[in-house]
Amino acid sequence: MFATRSVRVLLSTVTIALILSFAGPVQGQSASIGADVVSRYVWRGTDFGESMSVQPALTLGFGGLEVGAWGSYSISASGAGANENDIWATYTVAASNGSSFSFGFTDYYFPGPGADGFFVTDAHILELSASFTGPESFPISLFAGRMSRNDPDNSLYLEASIPVSSFEDVDMSLTAGMVAGESEFYGTEGTAFVNLGISASKDLVITDDFAVPVTVSYILNANRPGDDEHMGHDHEHDHDHGPDPDRAFLVFGFSLSP
């Protein structure tokens, strides 16, 4: 089966962005590239690939509109089933007090060995999202994302994060993410917190003109399914990108960007 409507809309958005990028100077036009290297790719409380990963990113901006591509690739062949290549778009509206609202979508695609091709319907999961970022006086970030394609539960994920006081130039932040209801995708039998964490970051200064941001995060998936087969260290899950209930992670990473 060929591309679904969601994939066609996604490709149309990217095509428009590429046309704009070659159409000449546009107010607010920007482009950025970079990559993260992480000891584990943990997303919303689930470890994807059980290995170190490299995560390249490309972003194009046109005023309030941003489109981009983001990927995660395991350095271990055993984790290649969790390889990910996403395309996304967001539109942000800024308020006069410094806060902002964003609306967007992400197309999740997992091109691991033996995976379906890009234009196959079942190869894509589409998420629609909305977010709010508070002003400097109250810099809370709120996010809501609902799966709308290839997720029978139409899973709803909610997240809040807020920075806390810095200690000796180390920036700290707290995050709480939950799934609102039963979801096979996230492995929940009802509403559950799947992403509780604290992150610390600091720039590692290499030269006067170059520094590498370094981050360490402690993440807890506090989801505890009632079925005993999911409890304890012998629970089974898909180590490529299956749910990770009742599990904690300590993740190190650094970012590179010109």
Side-chain angles (χ1 to χ4, degrees):
M1 186 178 295
F2 292 98
T4 63
R5 179 183 301 176
S6 62
V7 176
R8 291 196 295 270
V9 170
L10 185 63
L11 293 175
S12 297
T13 302
V14 174
T15 300
I16 292 171
L18 292 174
I19 292 173
L20 288 173
S21 67
F22 290 106
V26 177
Q27 183 177 4
Q29 182 174 309
S30 64
S32 63
I33 59 174
D36 296 334
V37 179
V38 292
S39 59
R40 284 291 189 274
Y41 170 30
V42 179
W43 180 78
R44 299 180 185 175
T46 293
D47 187 328
F48 282 60
E50 298 282 345
S51 70
M52 183 178 291
S53 297
V54 179
Q55 301 175 335
L58 166 65
T59 302
L60 302 176
F62 310 93
L65 174 66
E66 284 190 327
V67 297
W70 181 92
S72 183
Y73 296 90
S74 170
I75 66 170
S76 168
S78 62
N83 287 349
E84 185 174 340
N85 182 4
D86 305 335
I87 299 176
W88 57 270
T90 61
Y91 188 80
T92 300
V93 179
S96 58
N97 66 350
S99 62
S100 63
F101 297 86
S102 297
F103 306 91
F105 65 84
T106 301
D107 177 85
Y108 298 100
Y109 172 56
F110 300 94
D116 291 332
F118 182 82
F119 289 104
V120 176
T121 302
D122 293 339
H124 297 263
I125 301 174
L126 182 67
E127 180 181 59
L128 304 178
S129 62
S131 61
F132 168 79
T133 301
E136 186 176 352
S137 58
F138 187 56
I140 191 171
S141 295
L142 304 175
F143 173 88
R146 180 180 289 278
M147 300 299 181
S148 63
R149 173 71 66 176
N150 287 329
D151 177 4
D153 300 312
N154 293 132
S155 307
L156 175 62
Y157 176 79
L158 305 172
E159 182 179 289
S161 61
I162 189 168
V164 294
S165 300
S166 297
F167 302 93
E168 297 183 352
D169 297 326
V170 177
D171 296 325
M172 311 284 289
S173 64
L174 300 174
T175 298
M178 64 180 292
V179 177
E182 182 178 357
S183 168
E184 181 179 357
F185 183 84
Y186 291 103
T188 61
E189 297 178 351
T191 298
F193 284 97
V194 297
N195 181 23
L196 300 175
I198 181 170
S199 294
S201 60
K202 183 176 182 177
D203 286 346
L204 177 62
V205 178
I206 307 299
T207 69
D208 291 340
D209 300 319
F210 180 68
V212 176
V214 176
T215 301
V216 174
S217 300
Y218 185 89
I219 304 165
L220 171 65
N221 185 331
N223 176 32
R224 295 173 61 88
D227 192 339
D228 290 340
E229 70 178 2
H230 292 287
M231 304 300 290
H233 294 287
D234 60 348
H235 74 272
E236 296 182 0
H237 76 286
D238 180 351
H239 284 275
D240 286 340
H241 47 84
D244 275 317
D246 193 24
R247 193 176 179 197
F249 310 89
L250 185 63
V251 180
F252 168 82
F254 62 90
S255 301
L256 298 173
S257 180

